[in-house]
Amino acid sequence: MTCKKMAPAALSALLFCCSALAQEPTLLPAGGYPAHTCSKPELPQMPSGVGGNSEAMAYNGEVRIYNQKAQVYSKCITDYMNTGNADMARIQARINEAVAEANAR
């Protein structure tokens, strides 16, 4: 095998090793912090205005349902945010304990 044929393989191996080393170490699970599981509601479509009063009443009903779903979604996102903030506070407390232990004489 000539040097010209070996160079691309060696370069690929080097790039693979360097990219693995460049990643930040983590104690999180392989997929990272879990994503939220909240379902964002879709806005109802405005009526065309041709259907009259019945179409407007149906749209108002869809808006009421949307508003209820939006409140559930907002609470879900707020709960996710609060849980994430609490997790970060617990992690920070553990780090502070480790630093205090390391600095203790």
Side-chain angles (χ1 to χ4, degrees):
M1 198 182 285
T2 67
C3 290
K4 288 183 181 180
K5 288 187 179 181
M6 290 177 57
L11 180 60
S12 293
L14 180 62
L15 289 175
F16 177 77
C17 291
C18 291
S19 66
L21 293 174
Q23 294 176 356
E24 293 289 324
T26 183
L27 298 175
L28 291 172
Y33 196 78
H36 71 83
T37 57
C38 308
S39 297
K40 186 175 182 178
E42 290 189 33
L43 284 169
Q45 294 294 316
M46 285 284 283
S48 63
V50 179
N53 194 30
S54 63
E55 188 177 39
M57 289 179 66
Y59 175 70
N60 288 340
E62 291 174 12
V63 169
R64 276 192 293 279
I65 292 169
Y66 169 82
N67 288 338
Q68 292 169 351
K69 289 179 178 180
Q71 286 178 344
V72 170
Y73 175 72
S74 179
K75 182 181 180 330
C76 182
I77 291 295
T78 299
D79 291 347
Y80 176 77
M81 179 186 66
N82 290 338
T83 300
N85 286 334
D87 288 345
M88 288 188 287
R90 284 190 290 275
I91 291 167
Q92 190 62 56
R94 289 274 173 97
I95 292 168
N96 292 343
E97 289 171 9
V99 169
E101 178 184 314
N103 290 334
R105 293 181 185 225

